[in-house]
Amino acid sequence: EFILFAAVVGVAIILRAQRDEEEREPHEFAFGRSAPRTSDAVRGLAIGLIGPTVVTGLYVVAHGHLTPGGGFQGGVVLATALLLMYLAAEYSFLRRAAPISLVEVSEAVGAGAFALIGFAGVIGGVAYLENVLPLGEIGALNSAGTVPLINLSVGLEVAAGFVLIIVEFLEQTLMVRLKETP
């Protein structure tokens, strides 16, 4: 999780420095771009897949301790839903659906929650990330103590991290296209 967090910070620092943010707001790069429009077939398929993708991502995060999957895998699936929004609409819609300040806060909350859950074990007198909650009934969603909370925090951080990386690369691509347009 923290490797992804560091990668997102690195991508953001490198790409935002190249854009010269003081002169233009990042969302201004999307206006007047010469990118070809998405076909109606791709648009329809993307719109149809957004809901199932979100449900699948939430399921994978919530059931990560019971089935193969977990916070990282579910977070990637959830970030894919936002990429589908980009394919179904325009870049400006993606920016409205996922405001960067909210996504950045979500990534920080996910990373911070992971660290706090880990320190809960230390505060409880056991090792870092050791379980301090009751285990519950086997097979139930609350049957793994702190693991579901860890999955949730990892899912939040990973989804937000991948969305930030996607947005940074899209903005970089739009900036390059804008410079190439005569």
Side-chain angles (χ1 to χ4, degrees):
E1 178 179 353
F2 286 105
I3 291 171
L4 176 64
F5 183 77
V8 170
V9 170
V11 166
I13 288 171
I14 291 170
L15 294 181
R16 287 181 184 178
Q18 290 179 356
R19 280 199 300 269
D20 195 20
E21 290 180 324
E22 294 174 11
E23 291 182 20
R24 296 172 77 170
E25 289 293 320
H27 66 276
E28 291 179 16
F29 294 121
F31 300 117
R33 68 182 171 110
S34 61
R37 293 191 49 88
T38 304
S39 72
D40 291 338
V42 170
R43 187 182 311 267
L45 183 62
I47 289 171
L49 289 175
I50 291 171
T53 302
V54 169
V55 170
T56 301
L58 293 173
Y59 179 87
V60 171
V61 169
H63 292 84
H65 60 289
L66 299 172
T67 61
F72 196 94
Q73 295 86 342
V76 172
V77 173
L78 289 170
T80 302
L82 279 158
L83 189 57
L84 288 169
M85 282 185 201
Y86 169 72
L87 290 174
E90 291 291 322
Y91 176 75
S92 57
F93 177 76
L94 175 64
R95 288 298 300 250
R96 285 192 307 269
I100 293 302
S101 58
L102 178 63
V103 175
E104 288 173 341
V105 167
S106 298
E107 185 185 23
V109 166
F114 183 87
L116 289 175
I117 292 167
F119 282 117
V122 174
I123 292 169
V126 292
Y128 183 80
L129 281 178
E130 189 167 330
N131 185 35
V132 293
L133 296 177
L135 293 179
E137 185 179 326
I138 294 176
L141 276 180
N142 64 348
S143 65
T146 57
V147 174
L149 297 176
I150 291 170
N151 277 338
L152 182 63
S153 66
V154 170
L156 181 62
E157 197 278 331
V158 168
F162 274 103
V163 167
L164 284 173
I165 288 175
I166 290 167
V167 167
E168 291 297 332
F169 281 125
L170 285 174
E171 287 180 356
Q172 184 71 16
T173 301
L174 294 173
M175 183 184 75
V176 169
R177 287 184 183 165
L178 189 63
K179 288 180 179 178
E180 292 174 352
T181 304

